[in-house]
Amino acid sequence: MNKTAIEGFFATLKAANPSPQTELEYASVFELLAAVLLSAQATDVGVNKATRRLFPAANTPAKILALGEDGLADYLKTIGLYRTKAKNLYKTCQIILEQHGGRVPRSREALEALPGVGRKTANVVLNVAFGEPTMAVDTHIFRVGNRTGLAPGKNVLEVEQALLRRVPPAYLVDAHHWLILHGRYICQARRPLCERCQVRDFCDNPAPTMAGNAS
């Protein structure tokens, strides 16, 4: 995908969805961090189901610590790996209180030092909460980056770095939302819905159209 195609790709996505948002539900930076931490190997729908129960009862580090680790785990039973996630979130709350005055840290280094918070989670928090032009590469973005030719890479870091180089600055802050949504609903893993794709004209590997199949 060349520069002209990349510009058209993102201009089209922006026109269709000018202000893309994460599908995780949250009302504070801490709630966002907790939700993203819980979303590893889980769907946003599943995480939202759990946090709709958890956050009304405990939506700050202090309140989660007051639940106790077992009490926290009870709220997360509908999420895969819930015991490990409860342990990580509980320890994260301890660190936020002890080392950061109860506030979610704003640096990548400090975020990645929190249990259960890797580079992808840190990128989501930095982007969504603090408006930084980061690229949180999940399975959807990795697939879209490679399949379309937008940002080919052998691993998530290569795709992330390629996206940061290739996405025009005007689109960079919102780009990861557009790409996640595109991968989740259109450029799907099992069968991309190219017949519904608004950006197929810019893609390096669009599936044949129905007319093309007929010929």
Side-chain angles (χ1 to χ4, degrees), residues 30 38 54 57-77 82-94 97:
F30 174 74
L38 297 173
L54 173 63
N59 64 345
T60 68
K63 289 180 180 179
I64 284 181
L65 292 183
L67 290 177
E69 189 177 320
D70 289 340
L72 173 59
D74 285 340
Y75 283 95
L76 306 180
K77 286 182 177 179
Y82 77 94
R83 290 196 181 278
T84 297
K85 292 177 180 180
K87 181 178 181 179
N88 286 337
L89 181 55
Y90 191 82
K91 289 183 177 179
T92 284
C93 290
Q94 290 177 320
L97 283 172

Side-chain angles (χ1 to χ4, degrees), residues 110-189:
L111 284 168
E112 291 187 18
L114 299 172
V117 177
R119 185 176 183 87
K120 184 185 76 173
T121 298
N123 277 336
V124 173
V125 174
L126 290 170
N127 177 269
V128 176
F130 302 122
E132 296 191 18
T134 59
M135 194 64 60
V137 178
D138 66 353
T139 56
H140 298 301
I141 294 183
F142 184 79
R143 178 174 64 256
V144 171
N146 277 285
R147 182 185 278 165
T148 65
L150 172 63
K154 296 178 182 178
N155 54 56
V156 293
L157 184 58
E158 286 187 7
V159 171
E160 176 185 335
Q161 292 172 339
L163 287 168
L164 291 173
R165 289 194 308 270
R166 306 195 76 202
V167 176
Y171 304 111
L172 198 51
V173 170
D174 290 323
H176 101 267
H177 289 305
W178 285 317
L179 294 173
I180 287 172
L181 295 171
H182 189 63
R184 183 173 291 163
Y185 296 112
I186 300 297
C187 198
Q188 298 176 348

